[in-house]
Amino acid sequence: MSVLGLDPQIIVRARRAASQIAETMDGFIRQRSTVAVERTTLRLYGVDGVGADDIPLPNLFVDAAGREGLLSQGITRTLARAVAHSGRDPQTIARAIGDGQLMLANLPLIDEQEVREIGERLADEAIARIAQNRATRDAYLARYEKRPEPLHYVIVATGNIYEDVVQARTAARQGADIIAVIRTTGQSLLDFVPYGPTSEGFGGTYATQANFQIMREGLDEVGEELGRYIRLCNYCSGLCMPEIAAMGAIERLDVMLNDALYGILFRDINPQRTFVDQYFSRMINSFAGIVINTGEDNYLTTADAVEAAHTVLASQFINEQLALRCGLPEEQMGLGHAMEIDPALENGFLLELAQAQLAREVFPRAPLKYMPPTKHMTGNIFRGHIQDAMFNLIGAWTHQGIQLLGMMTEAMHTPHMGDRYLALENAQYVMNSARDLGDEIVFKPGGKIQTRAQTVLIEAAALLEKVLADGMFQTLEAGTFADVYRPFTGGKGLDGVFMRDHDYYNPLEAGLRKGLGLDPVS
Amino acid sequence: MTLIGRTGATPPDLSRVRPYGDTIDDGQIQLAFTLPVPFGEEAREAARQVLRQMGLGDPRIYHMHDLGEGYTYFIAYGRFEATIDFTSIHVAKVESSRMDFYAVNAFVREHIGRKVTILGACTGTDAHSVGIDAIMNMKGYAGEYGLERYPMFNAFNLGMQVQNEDLIAQAIEKKADALLVSQIVTQKDVHIRNLAELIDMLEAEGMRERLIVVCGGPRITHELALELGFDAGFSAGATAPDVASFVVHEMLKRKLA
């Protein structure tokens, strides 16, 4: 039952428009691939490590294929020929290409049946490996204490993965459920994934496979002691979005920031590149049982939270519909939103409550990710702590799925160890003490809260219908989301997008689609 | 000297001030910190010694919490026993008088006679656009319109993670009169190196003299900005009129109008 008095017909209208937008995008995506998608495919076949100048082998391999004009057939086709020719495994082949020992131009052609036999074997192994990690997580979750929602999500951001582990383990002991390792600034614009453990970063720590593994071990160990499964989160975004999904699937991450629009709007990554990359990354996340988090909260850091509320809801609909086309179940959709209204606004709390409850009712099965105040945090840590408490109250009240806990020192520095403890204590107190509040309270029909939610929903439905009429790419060019303008051919990474040949072959994609119950790419 | 505080309360001696808790000269200071030591009475004593070595008397640990992994958190109070001579303090401040939205635009019309072109950017690795947005964006912050709303300004917000060379290239292309650089969240003082590099690059290009260059952010002071070769620095709490007033006055003063 809707405590907001929402008209279900308007929700249907909005969802239908978003679905048609996603359908159009899906058609666009299916005709294309990117260098990142092909590198991801190699990574899942077991290619890892770096060659000369620390360039990752997946990059060296894909770049070599690109130079020979082989990429538009899909990297698997070239790899299968190399496997047939040399009898070696993908890693050895990639190493030989990186060392200049193997020239792709010299590979003999093999018949289609052999390509497919090798390709399907490699894909089956990759998919089995991901499934194994998923089963390991399921076993932990079945064995351990079930934690109440909203799960407590905190960040670590020291720049040094070993220091991050210490901070993460203290946070787990204070009650954290999810540890996110913030990435070093600038990583999203690298068109490769750095390699190995790292101890230097700015405002965060490099996302590398070794770092994922180090943190995973640290959390599994402390989780064993506490009898709780501590989830690990990272950032599946930027120019290497699908590669990071692959690394996360291999190292058993549990949560990934993975937005369809974020990179376009906030990192000026080319829209075409982002849409194709998000599709492939989300299929991997979906199959790996990873909960994705979308980034609508960021809109409100640039646009006004009262005026732009409907753009958040509209984007949630689009993210939902795109995710469904990647086989992602609703239970893995951590759709994002945030508490960013100016605290000086009279009845601002009512508007925040309306928005959070609105998201809850529109996406009833999604583990919504609720983001804390950032824009109006001032350095007055005492007021900030209260803002975070109000935020926690809404999180418990409206049954959010994941609460990214606010830090009193937001906008000052990356969280100190003590800040994190205070944030967790704040959340536990407020949420425990108000646990079932949402089941007890109904809102006044036609009152401020109901009216606000109904208005935002109507505006979101109208916006989605406009996006559908104008086209998604045109909407991004017009600055509708977050007051940011992004042209179709602008931004970074466009040169890594290519049209698939008629004989494009990617058995990994086919296997994932099959496993996720999606129709094959024709 | 005028009496400060309640009638009859002891006035402070401004040449010898101490922090004020609830009585003049009680010197009370609150602290919160973490030590990498295991929770226990030894930890409490270690925290007390931290306060003592800071020169705080009567250290009291009111709250202490086991963070695990051999770390302990403390909330403490102590008494500051030295004194500060307030009368001898001199701080570099932005001297221009603050005008409001209407006065700034009228000033530009009257004294400059053309639109002022101003570029804003959050530079280097910093991905926090909140500061530059507060100054630049149409909507503004804390009830003050941003510079994009000023009819006499051509304001361009270049966003976050802008490299210094890109900012300079844009400054040349757009014939900028002023650059605003925001630095919000940084680590290991990278913002200092980044700000200093911008000035060096502007000087190398021979552009420094023709531009008003201003920086801002929670860790920026006017004094630091001057040291780094900027014309002004603004801290948290500054809004568009503060920055605009300084820029237009400075343009006039340096005959760049």
Side-chain angles (χ1 to χ4, degrees), chain A residues 488-511:
Chain A
F488 181 67
T489 52
K492 303 167 187 85
L494 176 60
D495 55 359
V497 183
F498 57 88
M499 296 298 290
R500 298 177 177 204
D501 265 3
H502 65 281
D503 61 348
Y504 178 86
Y505 178 55
N506 191 336
L508 190 67
E509 179 189 36

Side-chain angles (χ1 to χ4, degrees), chain A residues 177-327:
Chain A
D177 298 305
I178 303 174
I179 302 292
V181 182
I182 296 284
R183 286 197 308 187
T184 182
T185 51
Q187 185 173 356
S188 56
L189 301 184
L190 299 179
D191 213 339
F192 65 93
V193 181
Y195 180 76
T198 66
S199 56
E200 286 278 341
F202 291 112
T205 307
Y206 282 100
T208 72
Q209 195 164 330
N211 287 349
F212 284 6
Q213 191 178 19
I214 290 165
M215 183 58 86
R216 176 78 275 164
E217 281 171 13
L219 295 183
D220 281 349
E221 195 181 86
V222 76
E224 186 75 40
E225 188 189 325
L226 298 169
R228 292 194 274 122
Y229 184 63
I230 311 298
R231 291 167 173 84
L232 176 56
C233 173
N234 210 287
Y235 295 77
C236 197
S237 59
L239 288 168
C240 296
M241 188 193 280
E243 287 180 276
I244 291 177
M247 289 156 46
I250 293 167
E251 301 300 339
R252 188 167 34 86
L253 269 74
D254 308 287
V255 182
M256 281 283 194
L257 277 286
N258 192 205
D259 191 277
L261 303 175
Y262 175 83
I264 304 171
L265 298 173
F266 297 98
R267 291 291 179 271
D268 196 14
I269 295 173
N270 174 262
Q272 304 179 48
R273 171 77 178 257
T274 303
F275 279 111
V276 178
D277 283 351
Q278 67 85 31
Y279 152 74
F280 205 68
S281 65
R282 283 180 170 188
M283 278 202 308
I284 296 167
N285 285 330
S286 178
F287 194 78
I290 288 172
V291 171
I292 67 160
N293 284 181
T294 62
E296 284 83 357
D297 46 281
N298 292 285
Y299 299 2
L300 304 180
T301 61
T302 49
D304 180 76
V306 177
E307 292 165 10
H310 65 292
T311 66
V312 169
L313 184 64
S315 174
Q316 288 172 327
F317 273 115
I318 294 171
N319 259 316
E320 175 197 58
Q321 292 301 316
L322 284 169
L324 286 174
R325 280 157 185 79
C326 304

Side-chain angles (χ1 to χ4, degrees), chain B residues 77-126:
Chain B
Y77 280 75
R79 190 179 66 239
F80 183 77
E81 292 177 331
T83 62
I84 303 298
D85 181 1
F86 186 73
T87 61
S88 69
I89 289 175
H90 300 284
V91 175
K93 271 186 263 186
V94 176
E95 297 294 349
S96 64
S97 60
R98 185 183 198 270
M99 299 182 285
D100 67 8
F101 171 82
Y102 300 100
V104 167
N105 287 302
F107 185 97
V108 175
R109 265 184 223 104
E110 186 179 336
H111 297 288
I112 299 178
R114 61 174 174 86
K115 286 191 178 192
V116 173
T117 299
I118 196 160
L119 306 188
C122 178
T123 61
T125 58
D126 195 351

